[in-house]
Amino acid sequence: MIDYYPTRKLENEEITERWFMPSPNPSNEALAGYAENGFVIIKGFFSDEEVAVMKGFADHNYESPDCYFSPEPATGKVRSILGFHDCDGIKQIAFGDKLMSMAKDILREEAYIHQSRVNYKRGMESNGWKWHSDFETWHYQDGMPEMKCFSAMIPLEENTAVNGPLMVLTGSHKEFVCCPKPTSNSSAEENFSDQKEGIPSGDAIAHFMRTGSIEVVTCSPGDVVLFDCNILHVSNPNVTPFGRMNMFFVYNAKSNMLKEPYSGLAPRPIEMGTR
Ligand code: 6CS
Ligand code: FE
């Protein structure tokens, strides 16, 4: 099997070509700027009822998780829950017309849900995530072949400039940062909550900052943020007392279903990548 994105295999980092770029439907005005920047914020996308269903689900699963969860390394508290897109109430939103038609307009083909998760990022105690491209992880650890995939991020609490919001590097989705061989021995599960592998260097970030910029994605309940699977993004620890809880549904093209992980290691738990 030829690996067109041989990340974590070479000694040194390389910035390589992106082989496939979806061309979103130009008649969908809500997606203006998506192809160029790699992300878009759509205000007022969800109704209050839809937000209430998702927030209720997320709150309940923080207190007593019914789903697979990944713990906060320092405290052992719930950091993320995963693999709940088939749950009642949630599936109607995740597979509903509103999001599925966005998926169709971005990917220009039928999609399925590769991953669902909530990142809680509670006040005062939650760590951040280092710079990464989600595709880099999904390719290496899950065996996702191509970049025919994007995330819908759904804020369930206010994402302000200061409570550890998502930050994206505009235009960075147009090339691929092939990360160097890992020196850590952390498991895929450990790496999920406290990322040690697949992190681009400062030189790579500077490369993209020559033409792009770091945008702080502030957003509110009701909004949706759509971002390309390969855009570089990061988030800081939440140093405020206010939570920053977001739900995610990741849409992958049906033609791009997972193969064996390119890492050569066993696949991650099914909740992290539908197969
Ligand atoms: O490992 C993963 O699948 C996830 N990790 C990060 C840091 N971002 C997105 C993705 O869900
Ligand atoms: Fe990510």
Side-chain angles (χ1 to χ4, degrees):
M1 186 166 62
I2 304 172
D3 185 355
Y4 291 100
Y5 301 105
T7 193
R8 307 190 205 181
K9 298 209 171 134
L10 313 172
E11 293 303 326
N12 297 310
E13 177 182 87
E14 278 182 31
I15 298 183
T16 66
E17 206 169 327
R18 174 175 181 153
W19 298 102
F20 175 85
M21 180 78 82
S23 57
N25 182 354
S27 67
N28 186 339
E29 283 165 19
L31 294 176
Y34 177 89
E36 192 49 31
N37 298 323
F39 82 107
V40 72
I41 305 172
I42 307 176
K43 306 299 277 180
F45 185 82
F46 292 109
S47 67
D48 292 348
E49 292 71 35
E50 288 168 322
V51 172
V53 168
M54 292 186 276
K55 180 135 193 323
F57 183 88
D59 284 339
H60 168 80
N61 276 280
Y62 184 75
E63 295 311 329
S64 53
D66 297 325
C67 352
Y68 182 94
F69 73 95
S70 166
E72 194 75 57
T75 62
K77 288 189 190 161
V78 180
R79 176 176 177 73
S80 306
I81 56 166
L82 291 125
F84 52 81
H85 48 271
D86 286 324
C87 290
D88 211 28
I90 296 295
K91 69 172 176 233
Q92 287 80 352
I93 299 171
F95 294 98
D97 276 352
K98 274 197 208 176
L99 281 169
M100 287 311 275
S101 74
M102 283 295 166
K104 207 156 189 191
D105 277 350
I106 289 177
L107 302 170
R108 308 308 268 309
E109 53 174 304
E110 294 298 327
Y112 71 97
I113 294 187
H114 163 65
Q115 187 185 76
S116 50
R117 70 184 191 281
V118 174
N119 290 340
Y120 287 95
K121 257 216 185 170
R122 294 298 190 192
M124 304 305 282
E125 56 189 29
S126 291
N127 208 347
W129 272 277
K130 300 203 171 77
W131 280 110
H132 64 280
S133 141
D134 292 339
F135 174 79
E136 194 275 344
T137 294
W138 297 335
H139 182 74
Y140 182 79
Q141 293 192 322
D142 297 336
M144 183 181 287
E146 253 302 346
M147 298 184 192
K148 300 182 177 182
C149 181
F150 74 96
S151 291
M153 180 180 102
I154 303 166
L156 299 175
E157 291 174 324
E158 213 57 55
N159 283 221
T160 69
V162 295
N163 68 357
L166 175 72
M167 298 192 282
V168 295
L169 183 38
T170 62
S172 60
H173 62 304
K174 294 176 186 170
E175 291 177 291
F176 180 65
V177 182
C178 202
C179 294
K181 248 188 203 161
T183 48
S184 82
N185 261 331
S186 54
S187 70
E189 285 83 353
E190 283 161 353
N191 215 47
F192 184 89
S193 56
D194 191 13
Q195 193 196 338
K196 296 196 172 60
E197 302 177 5
I199 302 164
S201 68
D203 286 348
I205 302 304
H207 164 83
F208 291 108
M209 286 184 75
R210 286 205 284 272
T211 47
S213 57
I214 299 176
E215 296 292 321
V216 180
V217 183
T218 54
C219 50
S220 308
D223 302 344
V224 70
V225 181
L226 308 177
F227 62 97
D228 182 83
C229 63
N230 186 45
I231 194 169
L232 294 180
H233 57 283
V234 68
S235 70
N236 288 323
N238 184 359
V239 296
T240 75
F242 308 109
R244 188 228 65 163
M245 172 165 70
N246 294 327
M247 188 173 282
F248 295 76
F249 301 123
V250 178
Y251 296 90
N252 188 29
K254 284 191 179 168
S255 66
N256 197 38
M257 296 220 184
L258 303 187
K259 303 211 181 321
E260 292 305 305
Y262 292 85
S263 62
L265 303 171
R268 296 198 295 177
I270 196 90
E271 292 85 356
M272 292 187 175
T274 309
R275 42 179 77 245

